[in-house]
């Protein structure tokens, strides 16, 4: 039996994208971006604080890093929780040492369970970036919208309350969304979202409930992806992160300011034998001329200022 | 069913007729960027699910979209610098979605062959008539946007049917990229008896296999491209070889991956007896000069 005829129908075969979330544009044809003080690269370091519940359901799929063993999966639960107890402090110390402020993607459950940790992060001048409720509460196509609305509202309320910050950025657990996610985020005062992996610079997205920025968040040089999914060593991760920086830094000379984002899962990058590679990567970047380390919100603000003619 | 797909006869590498490439080149090197469009909300195919997560799979979708927004231009620059034209493995709907990219390729004299309409529309489960209609759609779309004749085919997401090669030959195409049995072109048996060939494409040199399947690191990709070239270049002095580098801008065009690739193709371009060809040129040269010898050799070896 042949395929149903709709397989040979292409209702969205047209100029631009096959959805209405953003227009297509080529990074290399856009106006040059000017960062404060003529910086070439905005360095955006983003540690992640994640909590994987022991009774995780893994529905409708397991988030990267999720528990995999029969209940009670102590080994993965505790290995991930290590990041919140120990790993994050190694990372925070490296950042303090190098004078870097960044954005810490935080599950609301972490803020609820470990309010002191959020205070420590905030006290060091970092931005809190909302990272959903926890790593077992995914946003996904087909979920009831009222359920998702409550997840978004509740997570933001918890994180705003715990941090005293406006909390304008969002990273979904597993970078997973439903059709409604972006609209819900816009509705709840989120200015930028880090889930989409299609650009090296910010771009505007449109939702029925208002606009939202997509912020570039490294996917394939992410510490967990490189070292746990690809199974590369920390030395190789270090090389890749430096190579990534070098390309973007070189491009900035001719194409305008670039962003280098460095996601660091506290339970991956904060492990003793890996923290040296983290320090070396960030020292290398901070050692170049014209590198501006900032939070996501600051980088976005500078980007918007540059777009409207200040740059 | 004999268990043999019936595409070609066995012809061992040892003792074959020698291929000579234009201007005394001992290797034909071609680069095949897969310029693709993956749909945000594709229809379900009964045999293969396009996305791993429930739709919308925004992470996987946006990862592919990176190729068209960002990665393509990095890849283009690297190829320009080393003096390589591309043979574009094209999801032909790209002509409608991003003609800007098609123009950049066409202006450089790149070849366009078809990789189906979208990379989220598989040929699995299609009737021969349905599959013929996507071949004709491809030929019409490529002619309309680039003026070129459609000569080559790489099945969308490598989804084939047992009759696909017959249809391609009947529709006047010259070559397929879906077969991985050789480092030289091969006459392919089709029902109509048309002269139709396989041009070596590659899984091993393909950045999706290297990065998504084998999880190699970017510098190692540069290393294996050079090693593959060195071996085929040496052998090509006596056999006449083909090397293909299939690319995906969403992978090779990532900032941490572009330089090792750029360096590897500069290395290849630095050799004298290299024919920097397109898939069509390789197929045409083989058809005009070596097809008959290879077909006769295979018939004897049988």
């Amino acid at each position: 039996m042949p395929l149903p005829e709709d397989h040979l129908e292409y209702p969205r075969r047209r100029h631009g994208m096959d959805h209405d979330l953003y227009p297509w544009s080529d990074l290399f044809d856009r106006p040059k971006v000017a960062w404060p003080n003529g910086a070439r690269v905005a360095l955006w370091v983003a540690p992640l604080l994640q909590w994987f519940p022991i009774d995780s359901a893994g529905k409708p799929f397991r988030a990267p890093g999720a528990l995999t063993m029969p209940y009670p999966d102590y080994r993965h639960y505790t290995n991930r929780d290590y990041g919140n107890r120990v790993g994050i402090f190694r990372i925070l110390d490296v950042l303090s040492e190098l004078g870097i402020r960044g954005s810490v993607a935080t599950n609301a459950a972490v803020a609820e369970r470990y309010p002191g940790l959020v205070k420590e992060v905030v006290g060091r001048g970092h931005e809190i970036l909302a990272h959903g409720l926890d790593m077992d509460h995914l946003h996904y196509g087909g979920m009831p919208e009222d359920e998702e609305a409550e997840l978004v509202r509740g997570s933001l309320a918890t994180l705003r309350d715990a941090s005293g910050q406006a909390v304008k950025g969002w990273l979904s657990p597993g970078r997973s969304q439903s059709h409604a996610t972006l609209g819900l985020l816009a509705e709840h005062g989120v200015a930028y979202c880090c889930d989409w992996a299609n650009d090296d610079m910010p771009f505007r997205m449109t939702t029925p409930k208002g606009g939202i920025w997509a912020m570039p968040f490294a996917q394939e040089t992410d510490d967990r992806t490189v070292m746990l999914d690809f199974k590369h060593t920390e030395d190789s991760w270090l090389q890749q992160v430096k190579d990534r920086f070098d390309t973007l830094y070189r491009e900035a000379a001719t194409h305008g300011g670039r962003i280098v984002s460095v996601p660091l899962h506290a339970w991956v990058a904060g492990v003793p034998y890996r923290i040296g590679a983290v320090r070396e990567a960030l020292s290398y970047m901070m050692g170049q001329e014209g590198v501006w380390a900032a939070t996501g919100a600051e980088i976005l603000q500078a980007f918007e200022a540059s777009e409207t003619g200040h740059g | 069913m004999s268990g043999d797909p019936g595409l070609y006869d066995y012809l061992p590498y040892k003792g074959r007729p020698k291929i000579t490439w234009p201007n005394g080149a001992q290797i034909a090197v071609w680069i095949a960027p897969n310029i693709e469009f993956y749909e945000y909300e594709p229809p379900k195919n009964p045999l293969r699910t396009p996305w791993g997560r429930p739709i919308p799979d925004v992470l996987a979708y946006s990862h592919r979209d990176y190729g068209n927004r960002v990665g393509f231009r990095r890849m283009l620059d690297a190829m320009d610098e080393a003096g390589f034209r591309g043979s574009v493995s094209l999801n032909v709907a790209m002509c409608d979605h991003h003609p800007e990219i098609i123009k950049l390729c066409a202006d450089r004299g790149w070849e366009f062959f078809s990789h189906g309409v979208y990379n989220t529309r598989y040929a699995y489960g299609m009737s021969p008539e349905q599959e013929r209609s996507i071949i004709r759609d491809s030929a019409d779309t490529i002619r309309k946007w680039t003026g070129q004749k459609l000569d080559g085919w790489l099945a969308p997401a490598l989804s084939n049917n047992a009759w696909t090669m017959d249809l391609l030959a009947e529709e006047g195409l010259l070559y397929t990229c879906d077969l991985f049995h050789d480092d030289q072109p091969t006459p392919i048996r089709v029902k109509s008896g048309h002269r139709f060939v396989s041009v070596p494409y590659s899984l091993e040199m393909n950045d999706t296999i290297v990065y998504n399947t084998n999880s190699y690191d970017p510098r190692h990709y540069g290393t294996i491209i050079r090693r593959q070239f060195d071996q085929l270049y040496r052998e090509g002095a006596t056999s006449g070889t083909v090397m293909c580098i299939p690319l995906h801008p969403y992978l090779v065009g990532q900032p941490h991956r572009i330089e090792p690739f750029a360096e590897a193709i500069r290395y290849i371009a630095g050799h004298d007896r290299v024919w920097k060809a397109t898939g069509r040129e390789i197929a045409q040269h083989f058809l005009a000069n070596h097809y008959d010898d290879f077909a006769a050799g295979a018939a004897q070896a049988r």
Side-chain angles (χ1 to χ4, degrees):
Chain A
M1 204 173 77
L3 290 182
E5 278 309 311
D6 69 341
H7 280 258
L8 294 146
E9 289 161 7
Y10 314 105
R12 301 227 152 200
R13 187 168 171 181
R14 62 183 189 192
H15 187 253
M17 304 310 300
D18 63 337
H19 53 68
D20 301 317
L21 294 167
Y22 53 85
W24 180 74
S25 95
D26 184 326
L27 172 65
F28 293 88
D29 290 338
R30 295 180 207 158
K32 290 183 183 180
V33 172
W35 294 132
N37 305 311
R40 283 170 72 161
V41 158
L43 173 61
W44 185 25
V45 180
L48 287 87
L49 294 173
Q50 303 181 321
W51 186 66
F52 296 80
I54 190 68
D55 56 349
S56 287
K59 301 287 183 202
F61 60 91
R62 287 183 179 132
L67 277 51
T68 58
M69 306 297 286
Y71 177 86
D73 183 355
Y74 290 153
R75 80 184 214 188
H76 290 119
Y77 175 89
T78 56
N79 174 273
R80 280 36 169 174
D81 203 31
Y82 177 94
N84 303 323
R85 297 170 64 90
V86 182
I88 185 61
F89 294 99
R90 292 200 182 98
I91 295 172
L92 290 175
D93 284 351
V94 168
L95 300 186
S96 297
E97 198 182 300
L98 296 171
I100 295 172
R101 285 180 312 107
S103 305
V104 180
T106 308
N107 284 160
V110 169
E112 241 166 38
R113 295 165 53 83
Y114 319 128
L117 176 53
V118 172
K119 288 198 170 58
E120 174 80 23
V121 166
V122 169
R124 295 199 194 209
H126 301 296
E127 174 189 13
I128 294 293
L129 170 60
H131 190 27
L133 175 56
D134 62 44
M135 297 311 291
D136 195 44
H137 280 86
L138 300 176
H139 302 247
Y140 59 92
M143 80 185 296
E145 188 165 342
D146 56 344
E147 196 179 299
E148 184 173 19
E150 181 49 30
L151 263 186
V152 170
R153 189 205 61 75
S155 304
L156 286 166
T158 301
L159 289 161
R160 284 168 178 159
D161 187 50
S163 66
Q165 295 183 358
V167 183
K168 291 287 197 185
W170 177 276
L171 174 71
S172 297
R175 301 175 77 161
S176 177
Q177 296 186 350
S178 76
H179 282 103
T181 308
L182 289 167
L184 289 169
L185 297 177
E187 187 180 27
H188 287 88
V190 171
Y192 72 92
C193 175
C194 314
D195 295 338
W196 288 61
N198 49 348
D199 218 302
D200 288 332
M201 293 297 281
F203 66 93
R204 275 192 195 82
M205 300 182 85
T206 310
T207 85
K209 296 173 177 173
I212 189 165
W213 287 92
M215 276 287 275
F217 201 79
Q219 180 188 15
E220 292 194 283
T221 50
D222 169 293
D223 58 336
R224 192 200 55 75
T225 300
V226 172
M227 293 187 276
L228 301 191
D229 287 352
F230 299 161
K231 300 180 172 41
H232 297 169
T233 65
E234 64 282 5
D235 300 322
S236 177
W237 173 80
L238 170 62
Q239 187 69 66
Q240 292 175 53
V241 169
K242 286 162 81 174
D243 285 351
R244 176 186 181 86
F245 174 89
D246 287 347
T247 294
L248 293 167
Y249 187 80
R250 193 171 53 242
E251 280 178 8
T254 44
H255 291 90
R258 288 286 195 246
I259 295 172
V260 174
S261 57
V262 185
L264 297 169
H265 292 69
W267 57 273
V268 180
V271 165
Y273 78 90
R274 294 191 182 115
I275 196 69
V278 173
R279 180 182 288 106
E280 199 175 328
L282 298 178
S283 305
Y284 173 79
M285 296 179 200
M286 293 301 284
Q288 313 297 314
E289 284 286 314
V291 174
W292 170 50
T295 68
E298 289 165 349
I299 294 169
L300 183 57
Q301 192 181 23
F303 181 85
E304 288 192 76
S306 171
E307 262 209 331
T308 53
H310 293 273
Chain B
M1 245 199 200
S2 67
D4 182 318
L7 297 166
Y8 50 81
D9 292 321
Y10 182 64
L11 178 65
Y13 192 31
K14 182 179 160 59
R16 275 186 200 175
K18 183 187 172 186
I19 293 177
T20 50
W21 297 120
N23 301 313
Q26 58 201 52
I27 186 169
V29 177
W30 67 300
I31 298 182
N34 286 266
I35 299 190
E36 300 175 327
F37 200 101
Y38 292 75
E39 294 164 284
Y40 191 56
E41 301 178 85
K44 280 197 180 78
N45 181 294
L47 295 178
R48 182 170 163 179
T49 310
W51 297 119
R53 293 177 175 183
I55 288 172
D57 190 342
V58 304
L59 186 58
Y61 174 88
S62 61
H63 188 200
R64 272 57 177 192
D65 187 34
Y66 183 91
N68 295 331
R69 292 175 75 85
V70 181
F72 170 76
R73 290 286 288 276
R74 290 200 183 106
M75 180 194 73
L76 184 69
D77 284 351
M79 290 173 65
D80 280 351
E81 192 200 326
F84 277 98
R85 289 165 299 152
S87 306
V88 177
S89 169
L90 182 69
N91 287 156
V92 296
M94 273 292 295
C95 295
D96 302 288
H97 289 290
H98 304 316
E100 300 86 349
I101 289 176
I102 303 304
K103 183 171 189 311
L104 288 169
C105 302
D107 287 350
R108 287 163 168 77
W110 289 17
E111 178 190 343
F112 296 88
F113 65 88
S114 178
H115 189 30
V117 180
Y118 284 106
N119 229 50
T120 37
R121 303 276 180 137
Y122 313 118
Y124 299 130
M126 281 189 183
S127 66
E129 276 51 54
Q130 289 179 327
E131 196 166 359
R132 191 185 300 278
S133 78
I134 65 167
I135 298 169
R136 290 189 177 169
D137 182 333
S138 296
D140 292 346
T141 305
I142 286 176
R143 188 183 305 108
K144 176 182 156 197
W145 287 89
T146 72
Q148 292 187 27
K149 174 181 172 290
L150 173 64
D151 281 327
W153 188 264
L154 177 70
L158 312 198
S159 61
N160 279 281
N161 290 303
W163 53 75
T164 304
M165 303 298 164
D166 297 329
L167 296 181
L168 297 173
E170 282 168 24
E171 293 298 314
L173 276 70
L174 301 180
Y175 71 98
T176 171
C177 302
D178 274 291
L179 310 177
F180 302 97
H181 58 288
D182 218 293
D183 289 320
Q184 293 181 315
T186 307
I188 296 302
R189 187 179 299 115
V190 290
K191 274 194 185 133
S192 59
H194 281 95
R195 291 158 69 93
F196 185 73
V197 300
S198 162
V199 171
Y201 185 67
S202 180
L203 294 176
E204 304 290 350
M205 290 290 106
N206 192 320
D207 59 353
T208 45
I209 305 302
V210 164
Y211 291 127
N212 292 352
T213 306
N214 294 344
S215 304
Y216 291 163
D217 69 67
R219 292 190 175 209
H220 189 62
Y221 186 39
T223 300
I224 66 173
I225 292 172
R226 288 193 303 272
R227 286 179 180 160
Q228 181 97 345
F229 172 78
D230 285 344
Q231 183 66 28
L232 289 171
Y233 188 70
R234 263 197 307 276
E235 292 178 12
T238 51
S239 63
T241 46
V242 176
M243 173 170 171
C244 182
I245 308 175
L247 299 173
H248 297 73
Y250 80 93
L251 292 170
V252 77
Q254 297 278 345
H256 61 302
R257 291 181 176 144
I258 193 63
E259 194 46 36
F261 164 73
E263 195 183 307
I265 62 171
R266 282 196 297 267
Y267 171 80
I268 292 173
H271 290 69
D272 285 338
R273 292 175 174 270
V274 173
W275 181 31
K276 292 190 277 192
T278 65
R280 177 192 289 128
E281 289 165 354
I282 293 168
Q284 286 174 337
H285 181 87
F286 180 79
L287 282 161
N289 299 284
H290 302 291
Y291 178 98
D292 294 325
D293 287 350
F294 269 61
Q300 273 172 16
R302 188 138 54 130

